[in-house]
Amino acid sequence: MGFDDGCNTGLVLGLGFTSTAESSTPSKAAKRPCLKFEQSTTAVEPSLTLGLFGETYKKVNNIDVNKAGSCGEFSDHQLYRQPSPHSHSAVSSFSSGRVKREKDLSSEETEVERVSSRISDEDDDGVNARKKLRLTKEQSALLEESFKQHSTLNPKQKQALARQLNLRPRQVEVWFQNRRARTKLKQTEVDCEFLKKCCETLTDENRRLQKELQELKALKLAQPFYMHMPAATLTMCPSCERIGTGAGADGASKIPFSMAPKPHCFNPFTNPSAAC
DNA sequence: CAAGCAAATGTTTTTACGTCA
DNA sequence: CATGACGTAAAAACATTTGCT
């Protein structure tokens, strides 16, 4: 995948970074293959595509099936917050082992909460005001450090970090979510700049090629010599559109320019000039 | 007081996993 | 037993709100 692909299929506009060591089969460990900004940005190479992807957002029929879906935060919300008027209050009966595990975690979180005095103080007074926590420098630093290692946390890591920071797991989770969002925003800005540069380079290259084409056309008109040659002896490099004279019409080996397997597409970062 | 930042919340989408025919 | 369809929960992405500086 790269710049060349967009040339053949056309009209695909996208930006992103493709890992060079990308495996085609997502493993179970890599649960969310989309849009993860790992630390090893040096191991990825930029890819640009222009146009429309065939991929579209799918609308799920049973949208409200998982309305309780926010129960991903069930344990945290239920344990630590006064239920908001809009929150889904009841996810009553669980039976799966996974939920059991979640319950275990929740009990752990309760323990964490007990330790965390700054939180219980706020909640216990009955006032449902949404107080905003300001993380200390130390907390932020540790979170940053952890984020550098993993941009996402598994439940155990979350628990451990929360305990270490004297925060609720939910707060750690939220911090990571927001941090990922900021990272992505930053990355989008970088990509935007990258695309701008690409656009400028391509515009310049296009201008140069147009000029060269004009010159060649003028040359062709000024030199009737070409006209006297058999058409088959004139070949044009598909990449740079320079005209060459084939020595004979029989063998491709004698033709100075052979057709490229596919149209040359200019990549300003790997090919600063035309292929010839 | 408006603006910007960041914590928090709500919604949607994706994925993994269990169950059942 | 293998397999595919289906339902559900969890987690992440995404969008928005809100409190604080």
Side-chain angles (χ1 to χ4, degrees):
Chain A
M1 167 164 184
F3 213 77
D4 285 5
D5 292 353
C7 289
N8 288 343
T9 57
L11 292 176
V12 179
L13 172 56
L15 51 89
F17 293 92
T18 308
S19 172
T20 50
E22 186 66 28
S23 74
S24 57
T25 54
S27 67
K28 284 186 179 180
K31 276 177 66 179
R32 302 276 302 187
C34 61
L35 281 174
K36 284 207 169 178
F37 292 91
E38 300 296 341
Q39 285 311 110
S40 57
T41 49
T42 52
V44 296
E45 60 184 30
S47 68
L48 293 169
T49 48
L50 289 169
L52 295 168
F53 288 113
E55 188 77 16
T56 55
Y57 285 105
K58 284 172 284 181
K59 198 75 181 174
V60 181
N61 314 349
N62 49 348
I63 282 174
D64 55 350
V65 159
N66 288 337
K67 277 295 183 191
S70 296
C71 66
E73 284 88 13
F74 168 69
S75 54
D76 287 343
H77 284 169
Q78 296 296 317
L79 283 168
Y80 298 116
R81 292 191 67 249
Q82 300 279 347
S84 76
H86 303 297
S87 68
H88 313 287
S89 56
V91 181
S92 53
S93 64
F94 296 102
S95 60
S96 75
R98 220 178 341 156
V99 174
K100 191 183 172 193
R101 191 194 66 211
E102 186 69 25
K103 277 185 173 178
D104 292 341
L105 288 177
S106 300
S107 63
E108 279 185 55
E109 289 171 9
T110 314
E111 198 176 336
V112 171
E113 184 192 19
R114 260 183 246 123
V115 174
S116 179
S117 60
R118 55 191 299 186
I119 295 143
S120 53
D121 288 345
E122 288 164 10
D123 288 345
D124 285 347
D125 57 13
V127 181
N128 207 5
R130 182 163 132 176
K131 288 275 179 171
K132 194 146 191 171
L133 165 80
R134 200 74 190 179
L135 298 173
T136 65
K137 274 187 178 177
E138 290 75 21
Q139 284 172 323
S140 294
L142 191 53
L143 284 164
E144 276 292 343
E145 195 59 36
S146 183
F147 186 82
K148 277 181 188 169
Q149 290 166 15
H150 316 279
S151 63
T152 56
L153 290 175
N154 62 37
K156 277 195 173 180
Q157 289 170 323
K158 195 203 304 179
Q159 284 290 333
L161 200 53
R163 204 166 297 172
Q164 199 175 348
L165 292 165
N166 201 25
L167 292 172
R168 290 169 290 179
R170 172 65 181 159
Q171 287 176 300
V172 174
E173 186 179 302
V174 165
W175 187 91
F176 267 74
Q177 281 172 0
N178 289 316
R179 185 65 179 76
R180 282 193 295 268
R182 287 194 291 274
T183 302
K184 195 178 176 186
L185 181 66
K186 216 181 237 175
Q187 187 60 46
T188 303
E189 287 169 2
V190 169
D191 289 344
C192 190
E193 283 303 310
F194 179 82
L195 278 174
K196 275 185 191 169
K197 286 214 171 82
C198 276
C199 186
E200 285 172 17
T201 313
L202 285 170
T203 304
D204 288 347
E205 180 73 0
N206 187 40
R207 205 172 293 140
R208 190 187 67 75
L209 288 171
Q210 291 285 353
K211 193 181 167 191
E212 193 172 313
L213 183 62
Q214 290 297 324
E215 287 170 4
L216 285 170
K217 280 180 179 173
L219 190 70
K220 191 177 172 184
L221 286 177
Q223 293 185 346
F225 160 72
Y226 284 114
M227 304 298 288
H228 299 141
M229 298 182 72
T233 61
L234 288 176
T235 57
M236 184 176 281
C237 171
S239 300
C240 63
E241 298 186 6
R242 286 201 174 95
I243 294 174
T245 56
D250 51 349
S253 59
K254 294 178 181 176
I255 299 175
F257 301 117
S258 59
M259 289 296 290
K262 62 178 183 178
H264 172 73
C265 186
F266 173 69
N267 183 337
F269 294 88
T270 58
N271 286 333
S273 66
C276 294

